[in-house]
Amino acid sequence: MTQVVPYTFGFNIIEKLMDIHGFEVVANNFTSFLMGALITLELTALAVAFGMVLGLIFGLLKLAPQFKIGYAFATLYIDFFRGTPLFVQILLLYFGVLPIFGDIGAFTSAVIACSLNSGAYIAEIVRAGIQAVDKGQMEAGRSLGMNHPQAMWYIILPQAFKVVIPPLINEFIAMLKDTSLVSIISVSELTLRGKLIYASSYEPAWVWGTVAIIYFIMTKLLAMFGDYMERRLATE
Amino acid sequence: MIHVKNVYKNFGQLEVLKGVSCYVAPSEVVCVIGPSGSGKSTLLRCINQLETVQSGDILIDGQDITHPSININKIRQQVGMVFQLFNLFPHKTTLENVTLAPTKILKISPDEAHERATILLQKVGLVDKANVYPNQLSGGQKQRVAIARALAMQPKVMLFDEPTSALDPEMVGEVLEVMKDLAYEGMTMMVVTHEMGFAREVGHRVLFMDEGVIVEEGSPTQIFDNPSNPRTQSFLSKVL
């Protein structure tokens, strides 16, 4: 006996949306979505925190061509991590490089890959930010008797920090979204959870719609934090 | 106090200083005048090593600061510098601009730095602006803060690099007043300037520079009323 599937024209969409099953899937897995979001946030926070440290170090090295080895190393690092896909970096580190050092685990491996990637971008942001500060500021600091690191720390970096907030927030938002790539090495962040819930429920619109909304809320909050920081550091 | 001996400086192919020698005695005010590009500012910047010289010696208090073993940061603490474009720290308030270096470099207590800064701001007439940021100040006010900032390190010498050139005409006077007071208190000063009135009134000695050399030097009356070199005569006839 063949089953007749009636063709319902546009009503199909409305029926689908009103479908109580899709809503139930989301509601029943809500904690799982939230746990995934939490892991996404944790991964992002660690990646950008380490990324900022790496970015500051390599950004400063990029500004000191007189230290040939440091400069060459910084150039190599930035070129590699900006010039290859993060997806490939995640796979390379998890399957190719980190196993040499023993069983590090997927999450740690993901943090390392994302930090290294983020650090390369932040290094360029730091470099641009420092170069945007007027040359006279360094001279003023030096003329008061500060050495180069002191003038950098007390005078240049605070001003550069203000300049780099918008591109830095941009990088944080990009990194938050790009952590979805680590689902490939089974870190159970938001995207992987979405994949699993979808596979068991076949409710693509509901599941991926929920995932998208959660990502959006997180990036929107980050953007608002950036606006707040900019206002707070304004001296006008 | 300052002895410059046969200093040469070039930027690439461009020779900016071609064997400059001069001195500034303690409590003396020396004004450096001359056309743009004559090397006046470069000379001043060499004196606190913001530019390194190709050859020649610069002695401050008997120490040769061009020597590689010298701690230039220690020397600079004793040599205040005021820039044409002020270079105030825009992320710090007026008061913080003045207290930053004493607290971080001389390691004096915040209370003492605060006290010292307040006295200096009183001196330059800006104590009521202590808590505003530089972008809320006029050009003349900015330059007065910059002078207070340099004085907070209690320098032995003050270098002024065209301190009034970036100011609106009506603000020049307030800055020159502060500099005049400083001179009368006995501060050793080297002033690169286009303010001939100031050089004549306050300067003890005037150096006229052109094309990287000191063409003529002497007392203000000598230089302004009776210049002997034709180049000095032609420069002064254009600016006076």
Side-chain angles (χ1 to χ4, degrees):
Chain A
M1 203 177 165
T2 50
Q3 200 181 353
V4 179
V5 180
Y7 192 59
T8 56
F9 296 96
F11 293 110
N12 193 329
I13 296 167
I14 295 165
E15 262 176 38
K16 273 275 176 215
L17 282 176
M18 288 176 19
D19 179 6
I20 197 77
H21 179 245
F23 180 76
E24 271 174 6
V25 166
V26 171
N28 292 341
N29 291 290
F30 203 64
T31 26
S32 181
F33 279 124
L34 285 187
M35 286 303 294
L38 217 60
I39 291 172
T40 292
L41 276 180
E42 197 183 345
L43 182 56
T44 308
L46 287 169
V48 298
F50 289 128
M52 283 211 285
V53 175
L54 289 171
L56 186 60
I57 294 168
F58 286 104
L60 287 170
L61 283 175
K62 258 307 234 189
L63 285 167
Q66 65 270 33
F67 301 120
K68 287 196 179 60
I69 298 168
Y71 180 81
F73 187 65
T75 307
L76 199 70
Y77 163 73
I78 294 167
D79 282 355
F80 178 77
F81 282 95
R82 277 202 316 178
T84 55
L86 175 59
F87 193 56
V88 175
Q89 292 161 17
I90 291 164
L91 293 170
L92 177 65
L93 279 168
Y94 183 60
F95 294 112
V97 179
L98 294 176
I100 300 168
F101 306 99
D103 185 15
I104 296 190
F107 184 78
T108 312
S109 183
V111 169
I112 294 172
C114 291
S115 301
L116 287 170
N117 182 273
S118 203
Y121 284 95
I122 294 175
E124 288 294 283
I125 294 173
V126 167
R127 186 176 65 84
I130 289 172
Q131 282 175 333
V133 177
D134 184 66
K135 203 171 123 275
Q137 292 291 311
M138 176 57 88
E139 289 186 348
R142 297 304 303 271
S143 79
L144 289 166
M146 294 184 187
N147 60 32
H148 193 276
Q150 284 170 328
M152 200 49 133
W153 185 253
Y154 294 120
I155 296 164
I156 308 298
L157 287 180
Q159 293 180 58
F161 184 65
K162 201 172 125 182
V163 180
V164 302
I165 288 174
L168 212 51
I169 291 294
N170 210 26
E171 166 59 21
F172 291 177
I173 288 173
M175 185 37 70
L176 191 144
K177 293 183 296 178
D178 286 350
T179 56
S180 60
L181 294 170
V182 306
S183 58
I184 197 70
I185 57 169
S186 314
V187 175
S188 59
E189 43 68 71
L190 187 54
T191 301
L192 185 67
R193 304 240 178 185
K195 227 183 259 181
L196 296 176
I197 295 164
Y198 160 65
S200 62
S201 67
Y202 299 107
E203 289 287 356
W206 281 88
V207 171
W208 292 121
T210 307
V211 168
I213 289 167
I214 296 175
Y215 272 116
F216 177 77
I217 292 169
M218 292 193 290
T219 54
K220 184 67 192 168
L221 287 174
L222 250 178
M224 283 161 70
F225 172 71
D227 291 344
Y228 164 75
M229 286 298 282
E230 268 185 75
R231 271 200 311 278
R232 227 196 65 169
L233 288 172
T235 52
E236 269 97 282
Chain B
M1 188 63 81
I2 301 175
H3 275 270
V4 177
K5 293 178 183 168
N6 205 24
V7 159
Y8 283 80
K9 167 75 188 171
N10 42 275
F11 295 111
Q13 293 292 309
L14 184 70
E15 289 186 303
V16 186
L17 299 178
K18 304 172 200 165
V20 173
S21 299
C22 63
Y23 69 94
V24 182
S27 292
E28 192 181 24
V29 178
V30 173
C31 293
V32 186
I33 60 170
S36 309
S38 57
K40 314 181 292 291
S41 289
T42 306
L43 172 63
L44 206 66
R45 291 164 61 80
C46 285
I47 290 173
N48 72 352
Q49 293 285 286
L50 285 178
E51 305 289 353
T52 50
V53 302
Q54 259 71 44
S55 69
D57 294 321
I58 297 170
L59 275 67
I60 292 179
D61 245 0
Q63 280 182 293
D64 186 355
I65 62 162
T66 59
H67 199 272
S69 70
I70 207 93
N71 180 353
I72 191 62
N73 301 315
K74 279 265 176 280
I75 301 290
R76 286 195 184 121
Q77 289 168 22
Q78 296 161 19
V79 182
M81 176 108 179
V82 174
F83 299 89
Q84 184 179 354
L85 297 174
F86 330 125
N87 296 344
L88 289 184
F89 307 136
H91 61 302
K92 300 277 183 196
T93 63
T94 298
L95 188 75
E96 289 165 347
N97 263 276
V98 182
T99 56
L100 181 72
T103 48
K104 303 298 181 192
I105 314 302
L106 299 179
K107 307 279 182 203
I108 70 172
S109 74
D111 286 345
E112 199 192 330
H114 193 286
E115 212 170 291
R116 211 191 262 186
T118 310
I119 293 169
L120 287 169
L121 287 177
Q122 247 154 15
K123 191 167 163 174
V124 300
L126 286 170
V127 81
D128 55 321
K129 301 282 185 190
N131 295 313
V132 307
Y133 286 96
N135 58 17
Q136 288 158 287
L137 299 174
S138 71
Q141 291 171 332
K142 281 182 195 169
Q143 196 60 297
R144 287 187 279 150
V145 174
I147 293 172
R149 178 178 69 178
L151 289 174
M153 293 299 282
Q154 302 183 326
K156 294 179 184 163
V157 193
M158 286 284 282
L159 307 176
F160 293 84
D161 187 7
E162 301 196 27
T164 57
S165 297
L167 299 177
D168 290 343
E170 74 265 29
M171 291 170 184
V172 170
E174 62 190 67
V175 172
L176 293 181
E177 263 327 294
V178 169
M179 291 168 63
K180 212 185 283 180
D181 289 346
L182 209 54
Y184 293 153
E185 283 169 22
M187 175 60 81
T188 310
M189 292 162 63
M190 189 161 182
V191 186
V192 170
T193 188
H194 291 294
E195 293 296 326
M196 299 306 154
F198 177 84
R200 182 194 283 267
E201 188 190 337
V202 184
H204 297 126
R205 219 149 31 86
V206 175
L207 310 181
F208 173 70
M209 276 186 84
D210 194 16
E211 291 177 4
V213 290
I214 294 174
V215 176
E216 189 171 357
E217 67 171 287
S219 70
T221 11
Q222 202 178 322
I223 297 285
F224 289 114
D225 301 334
N226 217 348
S228 59
N229 190 294
R231 278 198 279 175
T232 320
Q233 287 164 359
S234 108
F235 174 75
L236 288 173
S237 71
K238 282 176 207 148
V239 296
L240 287 180

